[in-house]
Amino acid sequence: GFPDQQNPAYNGTGLKPTPYNLVTSYNNFYEFGLNKDDPKDNANRGWNTDAWTLELAGLVRSPQKIDVNALVRQLGLEQRVYRHRCVEAWSMVVPWDGFPLAKLIALADPLPTAKYVKFTTFYDPSAAVGQRSNSLDWPYVEGLRLDEAMHPLAFIATGIYGKPLPNQNGAPLRLVVPWKYGFKGIKSIVKIELTKREPRNTWNVMAPSEYGFYANVNPTVDHPRWSQASERIIGGGIFSGRQPTLMFNGYEKEVAPLYKDLNLRVNF
Amino acid sequence: MTAFARLLRSKTFVWIVLILPGLWPAWPLFVRQDSSALADPLKFILHHLGFVACLLLVTVLTFSPLRVLFPRSPVVQALNRHRRLVGVSAFVYAALHFTTHLLYEGGAHPANLPGIFRNVLDKPFQLTGLIALTILLLLAVTSLHAAVRWLGGRRWKNLHRLAYVAAALIAYHQAAARKIFPVQVLWIFIPLVVLELLRLWKTHRPRPAPAAARP
C-alpha cells in the first residue's frame, strides 16, 4: 500500500499539516487511558494490530470477514489532507492514507432496508488498560447515516504521513469524517454493520446533553460547558494558538446539502 | 519539637513550597519537552494552575479542623501560623488561572473579552469558577489585620466562612472540567469532608452531664 498517491482533490492547499510527533502523541483513545499521552505509552506495550479481521455484517447481501491487509491490497490507498476538529475545541491538519468508506460499504452491498452504518471497536481489557474501568461503555460504538457514510469525504484511514497508523491513532483501520467532531472517528474498527435504526454512539450514551449522534462541527451551537466558536491549533505554540471554527469544519460546500432539512441545534 | 515542625514554622520555607508549583510547568515544557504539554502549552498551564489553586484552597481549609482535632501537635500549630499566606496564595493561583483562561480563549486581544465573559456567564461550569474566584478575592482583600479590626471579629469570621462556599463551587468546577468525571476530585475533597465531619463531631458531641443536684 505505501507509499501511496496523494488525491489532488484533497491536497490540503492552504492548510498547514500538524507535525507527525504531535499527531501521534496527543490522542484521545480512552481504551488506553484518559490523558493525551497515555495512548502512545499504553497502546505500544505488545498490542498487536498487524493481524486484524474486519467483519462486515447486518443488512447486507455480502456479509464477510476480511483480513485487513488483504483489504488494503484490494482497495488501494490514497492520501488526503483533512482538517480534524476535536469536540474539546482543538484542531489539527492530518494527511491520512486510506480509501473512501463508500468503497468498503460497496463490498458489503447494503440491502434497501439499510439506513445507518454502525461501527464497533475492539474489546480486549487484557491489552487495553482503559477498558478495565467503565469510564465509557465498552466497546466503543459510532454510527453514520448511510448517505453520510457514502459521501465522498467519508474516509477509512490505515496510515498517516505515508506510514502505517501507529497504534495510538487507531491502527489498523479508523474512520475519518472531517466535517464532524473527532469522536465520530472511531478507531481500531472490528465490525461495520448496516442497520435500520440509528445506532446509540458511545459518547451520546455517556452524556446525551453534550454529545449527539450527528456531531457536525458547528460554531453556532455551543457545548454546554464551553464555546465551539473557535479552536486551539495544536502545535500553534503559546501565542499563535486560536482560530475561528468553520461551519462543518470548512467542508460546508461539500456536506451542507445532507442536512438541508435538519435542525442542527436540536440534532447536535 | 521535631525538625519538621521547626521547618514548618519558617515563613521562608512555606513561601518556597508555595512558589514551586508555579514554576513546575517549566519542567515538562522546556526540559522534558513532553509533546502532550507542547501540543497546547497554554491549556497545559491553565489546567495546572487551576489544580494548584484547588489544592491550596482545600489545604488551607484543613488547618482549622486539624487544630481542633490535634491541638497539641507542633506540626498542626506550625501550619496554622500560615493560614493567611496559604489562603491568599490559593487566590493568587486562581487569579493566574483565570488570566490564563482569558489568554487561552481570546489571545491578547481586548476585543475578545466581552465574548469570553458572555461564555463564562452562561455556562455553569465556567460561572462557578468565576464566582469562586470572586469569593477568594474578597477573602484575600479582607485578610489583612486592618480588615479584621474594621469588620470586627464576628463579622470577619462569618465572611470568611464563604471559603466553604468557594470550596463547594470548586469541587463542581473541577469535576466538570473534563469530558469524564476525574476521580482526583474525590481524592482531594473527601479527606477535607472527613476532617470537617470529625471536627463538627468533636465540637458538638454531648458533654458529660453535670453532677446531679443534692436533695
Side-chain angles (χ1 to χ4, degrees), chain A residues 119-139:
Chain A
F119 304 81
T120 309
T121 239
F122 77 102
Y123 180 69
D124 185 3
S126 70
V129 58
Q131 285 182 332
R132 293 172 214 161
S133 69
N134 49 3
S135 39
L136 291 175
D137 281 347
W138 307 116

Side-chain angles (χ1 to χ4, degrees), chain A residues 25 88 222 225 232 235 242, chain B residues 35 39 104 123 176 178-179:
Chain A
S25 63
E88 295 170 353
D222 282 349
R225 288 181 276 140
R232 291 283 298 174
R242 202 168 263 278
Chain B
S35 30
Y104 180 71
K123 292 176 173 57
R178 306 285 183 172
K179 299 215 303 281

Side-chain angles (χ1 to χ4, degrees), chain A residues 65-79:
Chain A
K65 289 196 166 107
I66 332 172
D67 166 51
V68 168
N69 293 312
L71 176 68
V72 169
R73 276 196 298 274
Q74 180 184 353
L75 294 183
L77 294 182
E78 64 183 73
Q79 189 178 87

Side-chain angles (χ1 to χ4, degrees), chain B residues 6-185:
Chain B
R6 250 196 301 273
L7 189 61
L8 267 184
R9 285 171 68 85
S10 155
K11 269 233 175 344
T12 311
F13 174 71
V14 176
W15 267 97
I16 293 174
V17 168
L18 292 174
I19 289 183
L20 281 178
L23 304 173
W24 180 82
W27 182 258
L29 281 173
F30 300 116
V31 177
R32 247 184 5 218
Q33 300 198 354
D34 289 346
S35 30
S36 60
L38 288 170
D40 194 349
L42 217 48
K43 179 174 189 169
F44 176 71
I45 292 171
L46 176 73
H47 281 281
H48 173 71
L49 289 173
F51 177 68
V52 174
C54 169
L55 264 188
L56 288 175
L57 175 61
V58 170
T59 299
V60 80
L61 287 173
T62 63
F63 290 179
S64 291
L66 283 173
R67 192 178 55 182
V68 169
L69 294 169
F70 307 107
R72 283 186 288 280
S73 155
V75 166
V76 170
Q77 284 169 6
L79 286 175
N80 273 279
R81 297 181 66 187
H82 305 297
R83 274 164 61 194
R84 181 170 74 176
L85 180 55
V86 179
V88 172
S89 72
F91 160 69
V92 170
Y93 276 100
L96 287 172
H97 169 76
F98 183 62
T99 307
T100 308
H101 171 77
L102 295 177
L103 283 171
Y104 180 71
E105 293 285 317
H109 311 297
N112 291 331
L113 284 176
I116 298 173
F117 273 95
R118 243 194 322 272
N119 277 319
V120 173
L121 292 174
D122 77 19
K123 292 176 173 57
F125 158 56
Q126 298 190 23
L127 184 58
T128 48
L130 186 60
I131 297 176
L133 175 65
T134 309
I135 292 176
L136 291 182
L137 170 63
L138 190 58
L139 300 186
V141 157
T142 56
S143 66
L144 304 164
H145 290 312
V148 183
R149 279 198 300 274
W150 179 58
L151 284 169
R154 196 201 193 96
R155 282 205 341 239
W156 185 92
K157 190 173 176 115
N158 284 332
L159 176 68
H160 276 250
R161 287 206 163 109
L162 280 178
Y164 295 106
V165 174
L169 290 170
I170 289 308
Y172 173 86
H173 181 73
Q174 200 186 34
R178 306 285 183 172
K179 299 215 303 281
I180 288 181
F181 178 83
V183 185
Q184 74 184 25
V185 176

Side-chain angles (χ1 to χ4, degrees), chain A residues 74-145:
Chain A
Q74 180 184 353
L75 294 183
L77 294 182
E78 64 183 73
Q79 189 178 87
R80 298 189 182 184
V81 181
Y82 278 166
R83 272 186 286 274
H84 181 88
R85 169 59 157 86
C86 179
V87 75
E88 295 170 353
W90 52 263
S91 69
M92 293 180 174
V93 173
V94 183
W96 301 103
D97 304 289
F99 47 84
L101 175 60
K103 276 199 201 170
L104 182 54
I105 293 181
L107 279 184
D109 198 1
L111 293 167
T113 44
K115 295 278 176 286
Y116 293 92
V117 184
K118 175 180 172 183
F119 304 81
T120 309
T121 239
F122 77 102
Y123 180 69
D124 185 3
S126 70
V129 58
Q131 285 182 332
R132 293 172 214 161
S133 69
N134 49 3
S135 39
L136 291 175
D137 281 347
W138 307 116
Y140 194 88
V141 164
E142 257 305 335
L144 293 174
R145 239 170 39 190

